[in-house]
Each structure stands twice: as structure tokens, then as C-alpha cells.
Amino acid sequence: MRDNLPYFRADTTLANEHLINIKSHIDQAKEDLKDNEDKEDILDCCTWIMKIIIRAGLALIMEEEKQYTRDLYPAYEAFSRYYPEKKEKMLQALEYAINPTNQTKDISFYLNDMGKWMIEASEEWLSLHNPNKDRNMLIQ
């Protein structure tokens, strides 16, 4: 079975996939939460955006770590080694991903705080590794 899996190298090309759209994903989540009273929809949105944030956090340090995982906890741990000052905020994303809240104000507060930081960090990463902001970087 392993021979049938595509090869993914933990490099800037893969990291770019997670970082190039982070702003649009966060903006979409904020829009989806506005005036939304559908509890299940809010829970789904919470889980979706928090997983994206955690994986984007790993993408920020993928070149240094030389690893990739879709698993949330190892991604959180790796991110926390490089950004200890954001460890608690990323832990909140992990908690929301596993046990989502249907409180739109809590999710929106998080997105306006940590989400804003993730967008800024992603922009810095992109300016260094993908200044043209190519959506599909060539595999290195």
C-alpha cells in the first residue's frame, strides 16, 4: 500500500499550500459566522478553521522541522517549539478543533486575535519564500 501513496517532501512547496490561502480561509470563516444561528454549522466552521490554523502553524516551520503531518497534536507541538509565546493560543485552536464551540463570539474573538497573527506570519513567510504569491509553486 505504501508504494501507492504520493511522495510529499516537507518543503516550501507544501508549506505554501497551507499558507497561501490562510487569509481567505479566515475571512471566509468570519463571514460564515456572521449572524449564523445554526449550531451545527457553527460547530463545523469552528472545527474546519481551527484545523486549518494548526496546519498553517506547522507550515510556518516546515522548512526547519523537515516534517509534515496532518495530525493536529504533533503539528501543535512542533509549532510550539518555535513560537512558545503563541503556544497557549495554538492550544486553544487544538481544543476548538477537537471540541468545537458553537459560541460565535468566542470563535470570532480568536480569529481576530490569533487569526490576525497567523495572517501576518503567513505574509512574512510568503514574502520570503513566495514573493510573487504563486498559488501553485513548482516542486523543488
Side-chain angles (χ1 to χ4, degrees):
M1 182 65 155
R2 181 177 275 271
D3 294 335
N4 296 334
L5 296 174
Y7 173 73
F8 286 103
R9 200 171 99 200
D11 64 5
T12 55
T13 305
L14 184 56
N16 188 70
E17 291 291 318
H18 290 279
L19 298 173
I20 193 77
N21 293 314
I22 190 72
K23 182 180 182 330
S24 63
H25 288 312
I26 289 172
D27 289 346
Q28 181 64 51
K30 287 179 182 179
E31 188 61 34
D32 289 351
L33 293 171
K34 272 187 196 165
D35 300 321
N36 192 339
E37 295 181 15
D38 182 335
K39 301 293 185 194
E40 286 302 314
D41 191 41
I42 296 166
L43 291 171
D44 287 345
C45 181
C46 182
T47 299
W48 169 75
I49 194 60
M50 296 304 161
K51 286 179 177 180
I52 286 173
I53 287 172
I54 295 164
R55 291 177 180 137
L58 177 62
L60 288 173
I61 52 105
M62 196 175 292
E63 275 291 293
E64 292 83 358
E65 280 288 298
K66 302 289 188 228
Q67 73 169 1
Y68 175 74
T69 181
R70 288 188 49 81
D71 294 334
L72 301 177
Y73 191 77
Y76 153 77
E77 284 183 316
F79 171 86
S80 297
R81 284 193 297 275
Y82 289 83
Y83 295 96
E85 73 282 5
K86 296 294 181 187
K87 181 178 182 175
E88 291 302 314
K89 299 277 185 184
M90 193 59 82
L91 180 60
Q92 181 65 65
L94 182 63
E95 290 174 7
Y96 279 156
I98 296 167
N99 296 307
T101 180
N102 60 19
Q103 300 299 309
T104 57
K105 67 176 174 44
D106 294 341
I107 303 166
S108 295
F109 179 81
Y110 183 88
L111 295 176
N112 288 327
D113 180 29
M114 183 64 171
K116 181 180 179 213
W117 182 88
M118 285 297 302
I119 291 167
E120 291 167 359
S122 295
E123 287 296 324
E124 287 178 29
W125 186 95
L126 289 166
S127 69
L128 187 66
H129 298 284
N130 184 5
N132 295 332
K133 296 191 178 175
D134 296 323
R135 295 217 176 272
N136 299 307
M137 288 178 66
L138 296 176
I139 296 176
Q140 299 175 357

